[in-house]
Amino acid sequence: MIIQIIGLPGSGKTTLAAALAERINAVHLNADYVRATINSDLGFMPEDRVEHARRLGEMAKMLSGQGLDVVVDFICPTAATRAAFGNSDICIWMDTITEGRFEDTNKLWEIPTKFDYHFMSYDSKGQTDLIIVESGLHDWKAPTTLLLGRYQPWHEGHQALWGVASERTSQVMVAVRDTHGTSEKDPLAFPEVARRIRQELPTAFVIKMPNITNIVYGRDVGYKIEQVDLGADIHAISATQKRKEAGL
């Protein structure tokens, strides 16, 4: 997931980006920081701005390709810079001011024609809430029910458990233990496990976890651990048999 936030300097891009990145546990790429470090060889001529946008786009795609959500905030003033950055999953235009603090950027600025959100006033919390809800993003601050397992493979028993978990909280995280290759019972790597889960649950909140073998806790502080009885038929489902049937 790549989220791009564009707008004139001082329009609130960075503040919104920081708030949104924290809520969805994303990497935040700030163009000013990138320009001062990795892209310090570039100036502010039109061709340098295009190259700056291209490099930012490639960084975002590289991180997204590793399974990370990425929020990128930068001016991106022209159609050429927006094309150089490439496609984003969500584009947000912060249209909160008519002029920024840099006259050359004001002269270059072209009104965007493609965007998903157009904010003409500034409210980072309200706007973050809106984006998360409307875009179906996973909110790391929201109450969440955790399902922890190997899921080798995901089957109807897990699906039934997910259904019960979703009755506890509206957000359910499926945490996949990284057991691939540790035994003949673990033939699937995490990307394949996640793919199979999302075949059944397209918007599932799936994350990779270490090979968790023990859970230790002290006092109950804001959470509880619950065993759910799904009935004899569900409990009788054999992952070993499922693997055999699937040729795994």
Side-chain angles (χ1 to χ4, degrees):
M1 169 73 70
I2 298 174
I3 301 172
Q4 182 185 16
I5 304 177
I6 64 175
L8 287 168
S11 60
K13 301 182 303 299
T14 301
T15 303
L16 177 59
L20 182 59
E22 182 184 5
R23 284 279 296 278
I24 66 173
N25 196 40
V27 176
H28 177 196
L29 289 181
N30 172 258
D32 289 342
Y33 177 81
V34 173
R35 178 179 279 284
T37 55
I38 299 170
N39 288 355
S40 60
D41 59 310
L42 299 176
F44 291 90
M45 297 296 290
E47 58 271 23
D48 286 344
R49 291 175 183 265
V50 168
E51 177 61 13
H52 180 48
R54 186 193 70 79
R55 293 182 191 178
L56 275 168
E58 290 300 324
M59 282 185 238
K61 282 183 276 188
M62 179 184 68
L63 292 167
S64 178
Q66 296 297 315
L68 300 171
D69 291 329
V70 186
V71 179
V72 187
D73 78 270
F74 70 120
I75 299 167
C76 208
T78 67
T81 60
R82 294 162 199 155
F85 179 86
N87 294 328
S88 56
D89 296 289
I90 299 172
C91 181
I92 303 163
W93 174 22
M94 296 299 290
D95 185 19
T96 61
I97 56 177
T98 57
E99 289 188 347
R101 60 186 180 273
F102 303 117
E103 187 58 32
D104 59 339
T105 301
N106 293 333
K107 290 179 179 178
L108 279 172
W109 178 259
E110 298 173 4
I111 299 298
T113 57
K114 295 181 180 179
F115 45 84
D116 300 289
Y117 293 93
H118 179 198
F119 295 131
M120 300 182 70
S121 60
Y122 178 69
D123 173 13
S124 64
K125 183 174 187 312
Q127 290 160 355
T128 296
D129 290 343
L130 177 69
I131 295 163
I132 288 173
V133 171
E134 289 194 349
S135 301
L137 300 173
H138 302 303
D139 185 353
W140 284 65
K141 304 292 185 184
T144 302
T145 298
L146 173 68
L147 297 183
L148 176 66
R150 292 164 42 244
Y151 310 118
Q152 297 275 342
W154 179 267
H155 56 63
E156 56 266 39
H158 302 134
Q159 192 84 8
L161 187 60
W162 184 90
V164 173
S166 64
E167 295 172 358
R168 304 295 189 266
T169 56
S170 59
Q171 181 167 268
V172 177
M173 173 187 285
V174 182
V176 180
R177 293 170 55 204
D178 187 13
T179 59
H180 174 234
T182 60
S183 77
E184 63 181 14
K185 295 181 180 180
D186 299 275
L188 302 176
F190 171 74
E192 178 61 15
V193 174
R195 185 190 69 80
R196 288 167 178 257
I197 294 171
R198 291 186 177 119
Q199 273 187 327
E200 304 299 325
L201 302 167
T203 61
F205 191 175
V206 184
I207 67 166
K208 183 179 181 179
M209 294 283 281
N211 182 13
I212 303 294
T213 57
N214 297 77
I215 298 175
V216 178
Y217 72 102
R219 296 184 299 121
D220 291 335
V221 183
Y223 61 86
K224 62 181 179 179
I225 297 176
E226 178 183 5
Q227 184 175 24
V228 177
D229 186 352
L230 296 171
D233 290 344
I234 294 295
H235 286 301
I237 295 172
S238 167
T240 299
Q241 184 60 36
K242 293 291 183 183
R243 288 192 297 274
K244 288 180 180 179
E245 292 172 358
L248 298 173

